[in-house]
Amino acid sequence: VRLGITTNLVRLATDRTELQEFLAAEWPRAQIGFVPTMGALHAGHIELVRQTALRSRVVVVSIFVNPAQFGPGEDLDRYPRTLSSDIEQLEDLGVPVIVFAPSADELYLPGEDLRIQLPSLSNRWEGAERPGHFDGVCLVLTKLFGVVRPTSVYMGQKDFQQTVVVRRLLRDLMLPIELVVVPTVREADGLALSSRNRFLSAEQRAHAPILIHTLRELAEQVLAGVELSTALRDAREILSTNHNCRLDYLDIVDGDGLEPVAGFDPAQRPTAIVAARFGSTRLLDNLPLVPA
Ligand code: AMP
């Protein structure tokens, strides 16, 4: 048994053939729910897997730190890799899961130069800060969809822009895969769970919930009828005058095109988005103004 960590509940495949064998052994044409991750699993990921298990016959969790979505000078090397603890957490969940944890060579073939780009969605917000990031996400997901052939893919609201990009990717590639977006799992004080929270100092950690507090205040203002530009100006001021963080952006965008909205229209599925840096750690959060 590879790495000695395949159990009754969690089966680990590290190459495509092994994964295909596991999947072929399932009931023919089984409903497959897929959760793509980069590992370093926390309670947010586990909730995503739990939601998937509630609605799928077979659950596949991929664990792959995708080099294509990291830019030069980003944290690819210091991204946490914790496969055995990841598998333990999945075991503790108590539902059968197939883990697919390939090497980079297993997914990226010699000489390949495939590119998949959605420039209008991918080059703004997170994409402006991280050029090429969503191209890398689209590339690896398209490959993983081909390998796993899921019926549904489950992703976190936490990475809102990613969900918008993936919805468009599925639509434009005409892939018959349903996207299910799971609400953000938060700490008791509101901070969204993230693998990057571990890089915060105790002091930065204490200040980080200001992101969600500001978004909640902004949402309250807008829903109470305060003019959008006024509410946004106030929210930006709270974050840009706070010396514990450096604001990258804060805005309210529509749920399909990620354009800043001109006014409050529930039909546009407006979502408040924020990114800010606490020391060298960049945190994201978002809050849909209208429940899905
Ligand atoms: P990652 O490993 O960071 O690529 O995340 C894998 C999946 O877990 C993505 O769909 C994320 O949006 C989702 N995720 C990460 N953090 C959370 C959270 N706090 N709540 C819900 N989903 C999350």
Side-chain angles (χ1 to χ4, degrees):
V1 173
R2 199 177 297 259
L3 300 180
I5 42 187
T6 296
T7 64
N8 285 337
L9 283 176
V10 177
R11 285 175 294 166
L12 174 67
T14 55
D15 62 43
R16 287 169 284 152
T17 314
E18 223 172 354
L19 177 68
Q20 296 312 335
E21 278 166 16
F22 288 157
L23 290 175
E26 299 294 333
W27 191 256
R29 297 158 61 86
Q31 204 276 346
I32 299 175
F34 176 40
V35 186
T37 81
M38 298 206 298
L41 301 186
H42 52 59
H45 299 112
I46 299 300
E47 173 61 12
L48 204 52
V49 177
R50 202 180 66 82
Q51 291 292 334
T52 310
L54 287 174
R55 303 181 42 180
S56 317
R57 247 205 32 88
V58 178
V59 177
V60 176
V61 177
S62 65
I63 294 181
F64 181 62
V65 182
N66 174 31
Q69 71 191 65
F70 288 80
E74 285 190 357
D75 57 355
L76 174 64
D77 293 333
R78 77 166 185 164
Y79 201 86
R81 289 162 175 84
T82 59
L83 185 60
S84 36
S85 132
D86 292 348
I87 289 181
E88 272 167 31
Q89 291 182 66
L90 290 168
E91 247 163 43
D92 290 346
L93 181 62
V95 300
V97 172
I98 296 173
V99 171
F100 180 48
S103 65
D105 293 346
E106 189 64 23
L107 286 186
Y108 293 106
L109 308 179
E112 78 157 70
D113 61 356
L114 177 62
R115 296 284 178 271
I116 300 177
Q117 299 182 324
L118 293 166
S120 64
L121 296 179
S122 295
N123 294 344
R124 60 201 323 179
W125 311 120
E126 282 314 282
E129 175 68 27
R130 309 182 62 188
H133 169 71
F134 289 110
D135 301 346
V137 170
C138 287
L139 181 59
V140 79
L141 284 178
T142 304
K143 285 169 173 280
L144 287 168
F145 292 154
V147 175
V148 177
R149 282 173 261 159
T151 330
S152 309
V153 59
Y154 287 72
M155 308 193 86
Q157 174 71 31
K158 163 74 180 22
D159 297 285
F160 165 70
Q161 184 171 4
Q162 176 167 272
T163 67
V164 175
V165 169
V166 172
R167 189 174 295 111
R168 184 74 65 84
L169 179 76
L170 293 172
R171 189 196 74 168
D172 294 356
L173 285 176
M174 299 172 196
L175 293 174
I177 301 171
E178 175 200 17
L179 171 64
V180 180
V181 178
V182 173
T184 303
V185 177
R186 298 178 182 281
E187 302 281 5
D189 63 6
L191 178 66
L193 266 55
S194 161
S195 325
R196 291 189 169 115
N197 291 351
R198 71 185 68 190
F199 300 127
L200 297 170
S201 70
E203 201 192 339
Q204 290 162 348
R205 170 65 191 80
H207 288 118
I210 193 173
L211 295 183
I212 187 59
H213 293 159
T214 307
L215 293 182
R216 285 179 179 152
E217 173 68 22
L218 170 64
E220 247 173 58
Q221 298 280 311
V222 172
L223 295 173
V226 174
E227 199 174 335
L228 220 66
S229 54
T230 311
L232 277 171
R233 193 198 53 213
D234 291 352
R236 286 184 187 126
E237 191 169 316
I238 292 172
L239 292 178
S240 40
T241 56
N242 184 304
H243 42 254
N244 299 299
C245 67
R246 224 184 66 220
L247 178 63
D248 274 354
Y249 60 74
L250 182 153
D251 221 316
I252 299 178
V253 301
D254 78 273
D256 293 316
L258 300 173
E259 293 283 349
V261 298
F264 177 65
D265 172 6
Q268 289 187 301
R269 293 187 289 118
T271 297
I273 58 175
V274 67
R277 231 173 268 271
F278 293 75
S280 60
T281 305
R282 200 158 164 281
L283 299 183
L284 305 184
D285 208 341
N286 70 85
L287 188 65
L289 299 193
V290 190

